[in-house]
Amino acid sequence: MAPKFPDEVNVFLVPHSRMKDLVGTYMDQLSTTDFRSNGALEHLLPLLENTFTEFKSHEHIENQYIMERLKQRLKLVDVTSQSVCNCHGDSQLVEILNLLRDGYTCTSKSISERINFGSQLQKAVSEFTKQFIPHMEEEEEIFQPMLMKYFAYEELLLLKQQVIQQHEFWKEKLLVQKETAENMLALLNTVAFEVTDYRSGDDEDYQETLQTLVELTCENISKNKIVHETILEASFDDLPEEMILHIFSYLNLADRTRCAQVNKHWNMLIYSPQLWKTIYPTNWAKGFYDFQYRDPYTLVESEWKTKSFLDDDDDISTAEEILSSQAEKEIQCYEKFVLNALVRIGEGVQCLVVAGGLHLSSTILHSMLVLCPNIQHLDASYTNITDLSFKGLALKKACIYLEHLDLTGCRFITDVGLERLGNCFKSPLARSFPSSKCGSCCQSCKNCPKYTDQMPMDNIRYGSNDSLFENDVSSPGLVYLSLSGCTSVTDFGLGSLLEVTVQKESLLFLDLSGCSLLSGRGLKTIAKHSSRLQPEDLYYCNRIQEGPYPEEANGCQNLECPLRGCCCFDQ
């Protein structure tokens, strides 16, 4: 036990008390955090970063104001102490802080990766704690007696006061940084319309305007901030990275692109994956640079009507020229986005919306899916994509975590594309799953007797209690699926796509309007083993006989829609 010294000259008493409280706090936080949850991890990381930054500041203050002075005094009296010379090393703190910063990228990754990160973090923190507590005890037992021996009473009083003062300075600086961020967010919100509407062809003018805004904010905050006759100044780049990212999240695509040109630091932050969880490449290709969802049917309908009007006009060449010019512009936008941005931000993308992209090629969509391995939501409705979009994705471990899939109006998608997507959902350890030979090779297979007698859904193994055996699958299964207007889809393709989903019993919504080649028997098999799918959330073609929930399920939603496939009128 450390010897008792008068509190007024015990220079370690106050800071060590604070450090011990922090140890107890972060141990509680780590033990109660569910690393499977994105929200829990996002809440924990900034708390731990602040805590271990304070530990680092604490060691810096001890080095500068206690240990350095003690070494100088020992040198003056010709006394050598190896323990004083090798007191502090912050390699563990640097390691933990780097690990925490890496943790922000884990918020957009899979559950297993978040759990693995949690284990690494707990191990690193545990090793730090095992050394840090004894280290504080060593300081109290060894260095405090040395201070009492070689320093006068009045010197220790002043030294303790300086140490406490420096800790207070650190807290004030942190508060100023936090207040700076909050005020800056408030100011940006106030002038949001002006910033959003500001358009200048001169990047220098834009950067100067943005920098002026930042300087005015910092000047307003620091004007009356005087602590112990020291003015605490803060600039935009002094803010913690998570605060800067939060500020950048309010900017639209055009403004983010401009900010990325300010300097290398801003460029790195702008293209941080966590800033791009939801992306709208089609909206951006059409000139809508915000992060708002737009009804793709409206966009496609307008384009379709324009094409019909121009086709009826006498000047056909003019019509083709206008449409080809727009198509070329959108195609270039897709290609530039993939090559310049998606290769950097793809890891963080969870929601990809390309709905309404009539000029989106299957090759470009394939590249997007490969570059976004953590995608959970895919909306490719009202596009002309083909089965090529999904070729080889399983080998690249893409679309594993997909839960929401909207292929409404994708009339060129067939069983081949659905089978390829279904392969993505299976575990890498179970790639050699059984597959029927009929249905996936060509449309002529529909004439084969085996096609109707043996469907993929019938191949799924059941246990003695009529429940599915748990296979080693890493996919959570689809929650939402719309194949409305995919008129070439058959039982084979749907069964291949939903094999894992049925095992997980995750499906909540299913729209098969216009898919007239499906059978009532196949739909019943899916509905039987989709316990969470309610009749009111199921849609299928009116011509399908003996389908599930004949009185409760919804009929085809495409009867009055010329843009989605339907068996009731010519497409």
Side-chain angles (χ1 to χ4, degrees):
M1 180 179 292
K4 179 69 176 176
F5 296 101
D7 290 347
E8 64 267 24
V9 292
N10 189 341
V11 297
F12 297 106
L13 180 63
V14 175
H16 280 191
S17 177
R18 166 66 177 167
M19 296 304 108
K20 291 173 183 177
D21 288 341
L22 289 178
V23 169
T25 300
Y26 73 61
M27 292 301 289
D28 289 341
Q29 291 169 344
L30 279 172
S31 63
T32 57
T33 297
D34 181 6
F35 287 94
R36 294 172 299 179
S37 166
N38 265 334
L41 183 56
E42 290 177 346
H43 175 73
L44 174 69
L45 290 174
L47 296 178
L48 290 183
E49 188 171 8
N50 288 339
T51 297
F52 285 93
T53 301
E54 186 170 348
F55 280 133
K56 201 169 185 301
S57 173
H58 162 75
E59 292 200 348
H60 174 74
I61 292 170
E62 282 192 343
N63 281 336
Q64 184 175 357
Y65 288 89
I66 300 178
M67 306 313 300
E68 189 61 32
R69 293 187 184 183
L70 180 56
K71 283 192 287 186
Q72 292 176 359
R73 184 60 55 91
L74 292 176
K75 185 178 180 180
L76 186 64
V77 296
D78 199 22
V79 174
T80 302
S81 173
Q82 192 66 29
S83 58
V84 175
C85 295
N86 299 316
C87 176
H88 281 145
D90 60 0
S91 59
Q92 277 189 306
L93 285 173
V94 172
E95 178 186 345
I96 292 175
L97 286 170
N98 288 336
L99 186 61
L100 289 172
R101 293 182 181 113
D102 292 341
Y104 287 103
T105 63
C106 288
T107 58
S108 61
K109 295 185 178 180
S110 65
I111 293 177
S112 61
E113 288 175 301
R114 291 197 293 271
I115 293 176
N116 181 54
F117 167 77
S119 299
Q120 293 181 38
L121 180 61
Q122 289 174 329
K123 180 180 179 181
V125 170
S126 177
E127 291 176 356
F128 166 81
T129 306
K130 288 178 181 177
Q131 296 186 29
F132 186 70
I133 298 296
H135 166 70
M136 288 193 295
E137 294 175 351
E138 179 188 38
E139 288 178 330
E140 295 168 1
E141 295 172 358
I142 298 177
F143 301 134
Q144 181 62 34
M146 296 176 72
L147 290 168
M148 293 289 292
K149 181 176 180 179
Y150 296 107
F151 285 79
Y153 182 85
E154 291 75 17
E155 288 180 307
L156 290 179
L157 284 176
L158 180 60
L159 181 57
K160 180 179 179 180
Q161 181 182 356
Q162 289 175 332
V163 169
I164 294 175
Q165 187 180 67
Q166 288 302 313
H167 279 279
E168 291 300 321
F169 279 173
W170 183 87
K171 291 179 183 178
E172 286 292 337
K173 182 178 180 180
L174 188 64
L175 289 175
V176 168
Q177 289 179 343
K178 182 179 179 181
E179 187 176 343
T180 300
E182 291 173 350
N183 279 270
M184 196 171 294
L185 283 174
L187 182 59
L188 284 174
N189 185 58
T190 303
V191 298
F193 291 104
E194 288 79 358
V195 173
T196 302
D197 293 338
Y198 181 83
R199 291 291 180 271
S200 170
D202 191 340
D203 284 343
E204 255 183 57
D205 289 345
Y206 184 85
Q207 294 166 17
E208 184 178 350
T209 301
L210 204 61
Q211 186 62 34
T212 300
L213 177 64
V214 171
E215 290 172 357
L216 286 174
T217 306
C218 295
E219 180 183 350
N220 180 58
I221 293 171
S222 62
K223 188 177 294 182
N224 298 319
K225 280 290 179 181
I226 301 177
V227 182
H228 298 286
E229 301 179 349
T230 301
I231 299 178
L232 297 178
E233 297 180 351
S235 68
F236 187 81
D237 287 333
D238 289 331
L239 295 174
E241 286 190 359
E242 61 270 19
M243 290 185 180
I244 298 178
L245 289 175
H246 186 67
I247 293 171
F248 283 156
S249 70
Y250 285 87
L251 301 179
N252 63 28
L253 179 72
D255 294 338
R256 290 186 186 188
T257 303
R258 291 174 181 266
C259 287
Q261 299 172 13
V262 173
N263 55 48
K264 290 183 179 179
H265 184 221
W266 280 30
N267 185 281
M268 179 193 70
L269 293 175
I270 283 292
Y271 290 106
S272 298
Q274 59 265 40
L275 199 60
W276 303 84
K277 291 185 177 181
T278 301
I279 59 175
Y280 299 89
T282 293
N283 286 359
W284 300 337
K286 293 181 180 294
F288 302 104
Y289 298 121
D290 55 24
F291 286 81
Q292 300 297 322
Y293 176 81
R294 284 178 172 77
D295 182 9
Y297 183 88
T298 305
L299 298 176
V300 175
E301 184 182 33
S302 175
E303 191 169 341
W304 177 71
K305 287 182 177 179
T306 301
K307 183 178 183 303
S308 299
F309 174 78
L310 292 174
D311 286 344
D312 292 338
D313 192 68
D314 294 335
D315 193 353
I316 301 298
S317 61
T318 302
E320 293 177 349
E321 183 179 342
I322 293 174
L323 290 174
S324 62
S325 175
Q326 178 65 21
E328 184 178 349
K329 179 182 176 182
E330 291 185 22
I331 291 170
Q332 289 179 354
C333 184
Y334 288 130
E335 291 176 347
K336 289 180 180 179
F337 176 71
V338 170
L339 292 175
N340 300 329
L342 202 58
V343 291
R344 299 177 63 182
I345 66 175
E347 289 285 339
V349 176
Q350 297 178 5
C351 176
L352 172 61
V353 180
V354 291
L358 294 179
H359 306 298
L360 174 70
S361 70
S362 299
T363 304
I364 289 294
L365 179 59
H366 181 273
S367 299
M368 290 180 177
L369 296 176
V370 171
L371 292 171
C372 301
N374 299 308
I375 186 175
Q376 300 173 12
H377 180 122
L378 173 61
D379 185 350
S381 57
Y382 302 103
T383 60
N384 291 322
I385 61 171
T386 66
D387 300 326
L388 182 63
S389 303
F390 312 118
K391 184 177 181 179
L393 291 183
L395 297 176
K396 298 182 182 296
K397 299 182 180 179
C399 296
I400 294 176
Y401 310 110
L402 198 62
E403 297 181 0
H404 181 114
L405 177 61
D406 193 341
L407 297 178
T408 299
C410 297
R411 62 185 185 278
F412 298 120
I413 294 296
T414 70
D415 288 350
V416 175
L418 299 188
E419 184 180 17
R420 288 170 175 172
L421 268 178
N423 291 347
C424 295
F425 302 152
K426 297 179 174 64
S427 167
L429 300 178
R431 292 297 183 195
S432 57
F433 58 95
S435 176
S436 170
K437 293 182 180 180
C438 291
S440 62
C441 54
C442 63
Q443 293 297 315
S444 62
C445 286
K446 297 172 191 176
N447 299 321
C448 174
K450 294 182 179 180
Y451 181 78
T452 54
D453 293 339
Q454 185 70 28
M455 296 181 298
M457 297 304 299
D458 295 331
N459 285 331
I460 298 176
R461 298 181 294 117
Y462 294 89
S464 57
N465 59 351
D466 200 34
S467 63
L468 291 164
F469 283 122
E470 285 294 329
N471 289 336
D472 180 21
V473 291
S474 52
S475 167
L478 290 173
V479 174
Y480 178 104
L481 173 62
S482 176
L483 299 176
S484 176
C486 299
T487 54
S488 299
V489 170
T490 69
D491 287 341
F492 176 83
L494 184 62
S496 299
L497 176 65
L498 293 180
E499 183 176 339
V500 171
T501 296
V502 170
Q503 292 181 42
K504 295 290 186 178
E505 298 191 25
S506 58
L507 197 62
L508 292 175
F509 180 90
L510 180 61
D511 188 351
L512 302 171
S513 300
C515 302
S516 58
L517 299 182
L518 297 173
S519 69
R521 177 187 173 191
L523 295 184
K524 277 187 175 180
T525 303
I526 293 173
K528 177 183 177 182
H529 300 291
S530 298
S531 59
R532 301 173 65 192
L533 179 63
Q534 300 301 312
E536 58 268 23
D537 295 319
L538 173 62
Y539 301 80
Y540 60 88
C541 180
N542 297 342
R543 292 191 177 184
I544 295 178
Q545 300 297 317
E546 299 180 354
Y549 314 117
E551 302 297 329
E552 301 170 86
N554 298 283
C556 181
Q557 303 298 297
N558 300 352
L559 299 180
E560 302 297 329
C561 179
L563 301 181
R564 295 193 297 268
C566 181
C567 63
C568 297
F569 59 86
D570 185 14
Q571 290 295 301

